[in-house]
Amino acid sequence: MEVEEAFPLVGQMGPFQVWLCVLLAALLQLYVASEAILIALVGATPPYHWDLERISANWSHSNQSVSEEERAFGKWLLTANGSEVHKHVHFSSSFTSIASEWFLIGSTSYKISAASSFFFSGVFVGVITFGQLSDRFGRKKVYLIGFALDILFALANGFSPSYEFFAVSRFLVGVMNGGMSLVAFVLLNECVGTAYWALAGSIGGLFFAVGIAQYALLGYLIRSWRMLAVVVNLEGTVVFLLSLFVPESPRWLYSQGRLSEAEEALFLIAKRNRKPKCTFFLTLPSERTHKEAGSILDLFRHKILLGRTLVMMFIWYLHCIWVWF
């Protein structure tokens, strides 16, 4: 019996797979979304004022049109050293951020956007490398290691002693966050029947949007950017601990020729789906003579895959323009 023939016996979307959807498509995406847009609140600039004698004193920063006083203040920022900025610029105490922590205003305000770019550069690296790693070492192992490092780097992010440390840790968080969430998506779909792949994927997208709303609420309640970063990671820690009990992908084990382990994973799914005890033996396809190694280049070698890849790249390009800009 091949692995696809075993899924109707153990259950294609039973109680256990529903729980996996809750864990890997719902709860995990709440955390992933919060990390993805962390800079939106952590990098927000609180209102501030300055006390320079030659420029109108106590003119508060706002989103109104630029005035002569603000232009003069901007020119002063270009020549002022760090100690002068700390002495004459005062931020409101309504909330804190990396802008108020390291005075990222004026000519240094670009560093806030740069930190966001570092994160998404890391995501780009992560989704490319983690797919290859999970094909070689297994879905669960790569997912858990990536998740653990994601939480570790994100916590370090919240305790950053300098902007440079913050920027580097944001890149590392991006690598782990993008990589492990991709592997989690594959792991989930390889534990459910093929008829439910679209449903499992849609749940993840839905709860990513919910995660953005959740993060906005957290930002409203927690006004310290360091505390906000730590609280976001508490949610990730809970999801990580629950993920320790997720089985390895039976489809990946089957593709590696590890038939006995694939059978154990399927029997575990059957047991947690409250299915009657079933007995079967997996066998490899008769026409399979050797283990085929996949490569990212395969996406561009075959016409059908190439067409679908280009369509998906165009769709994601439009999606990113609409959502992130």
Side-chain angles (χ1 to χ4, degrees):
M1 176 183 293
E2 297 182 19
V3 67
E4 297 302 333
E5 298 173 320
F7 267 92
L9 300 178
V10 303
Q12 299 195 62
M13 182 57 83
F16 180 62
Q17 282 108 329
V18 170
W19 163 241
L20 288 181
C21 286
V22 171
L23 179 63
L24 299 179
L27 297 180
L28 179 65
Q29 286 302 313
L30 294 179
Y31 168 72
V32 170
S34 297
E35 278 296 343
I37 64 167
L38 187 77
I39 199 68
L41 298 181
V42 165
T45 303
Y48 61 85
H49 65 276
W50 54 84
D51 55 7
L52 297 169
E53 293 182 359
R54 62 182 180 276
I55 306 176
S56 297
N58 297 321
W59 190 89
S60 297
H61 165 78
S62 70
N63 292 324
Q64 299 173 353
S65 59
V66 179
S67 65
E68 290 298 327
E69 291 85 355
E70 188 171 10
R71 290 193 184 95
F73 176 69
K75 293 179 180 179
W76 175 80
L77 281 176
L78 292 175
T79 58
N81 57 40
S83 60
E84 289 178 324
V85 173
H86 283 66
K87 179 180 179 181
H88 295 289
V89 177
H90 310 282
F91 284 91
S92 165
S93 60
S94 57
F95 65 92
T96 65
S97 70
I98 62 172
S100 60
E101 179 97 10
W102 297 306
F103 287 79
L104 303 181
I105 56 176
S107 60
T108 60
S109 61
Y110 75 92
K111 292 183 178 181
I112 299 174
S113 299
S116 180
S117 298
F118 289 141
F119 174 83
F120 285 103
S121 297
V123 171
F124 176 75
V125 174
V127 296
I128 292 177
T129 56
F130 272 59
Q132 301 293 312
L133 291 173
S134 68
D135 285 344
R136 181 173 181 181
F137 299 108
R139 315 299 192 209
K140 181 180 179 180
K141 182 183 297 185
V142 173
Y143 163 62
L144 289 178
I145 292 176
F147 203 167
L149 291 175
D150 180 26
I151 293 173
L152 178 64
F153 291 139
L155 283 174
N157 203 217
F159 293 98
S160 298
S162 65
Y163 171 80
E164 290 73 20
F165 187 96
F166 179 85
V168 172
S169 59
R170 282 308 288 165
F171 173 79
L172 295 175
V173 170
V175 173
M176 301 304 162
N177 194 271
M180 71 85 179
S181 60
L182 172 69
V183 177
F185 176 85
V186 176
L187 175 59
L188 171 61
N189 280 275
E190 290 183 346
C191 288
V192 304
T194 55
Y196 295 91
W197 284 355
L199 174 62
S202 299
I203 293 174
L206 172 65
F207 276 87
F208 188 92
V210 175
I212 294 175
Q214 171 203 251
Y215 178 64
L217 177 61
L218 287 175
Y220 177 77
L221 298 174
I222 303 172
R223 296 308 178 101
S224 166
W225 78 267
R226 293 184 183 273
M227 182 60 67
L228 179 61
V230 171
V231 170
V232 166
N233 280 281
L234 290 178
E235 181 179 31
T237 303
V238 172
V239 178
F240 172 78
L241 294 175
L242 293 174
S243 297
L244 295 174
F245 303 98
V246 173
E248 179 58 275
S249 163
R251 286 187 171 95
W252 179 81
L253 292 169
Y254 181 80
S255 71
Q256 301 299 304
R258 297 160 61 173
L259 301 185
S260 61
E261 295 176 72
E263 290 171 357
E264 291 177 5
L266 288 168
F267 290 147
L268 177 62
I269 293 175
K271 179 181 178 181
R272 294 182 178 177
N273 279 341
R274 305 186 188 95
K275 289 281 185 178
K277 187 174 181 180
C278 53
T279 303
F280 54 81
F281 298 95
L282 295 177
T283 58
L284 295 174
S286 56
E287 67 274 10
R288 174 173 169 172
T289 57
H290 64 282
K291 188 194 305 183
E292 298 178 357
S295 167
I296 192 173
L297 297 178
D298 291 338
L299 296 174
F300 305 95
R301 289 180 180 139
H302 309 286
K303 289 185 178 180
I304 295 178
L305 282 177
L306 175 60
R308 293 177 179 176
T309 300
L310 293 177
V311 169
M312 290 301 297
M313 290 174 66
F314 181 68
I315 291 174
W316 274 104
Y317 172 74
L318 296 179
H319 167 77
C320 290
I321 288 179
W322 177 259
V323 173
W324 303 110
F325 297 100

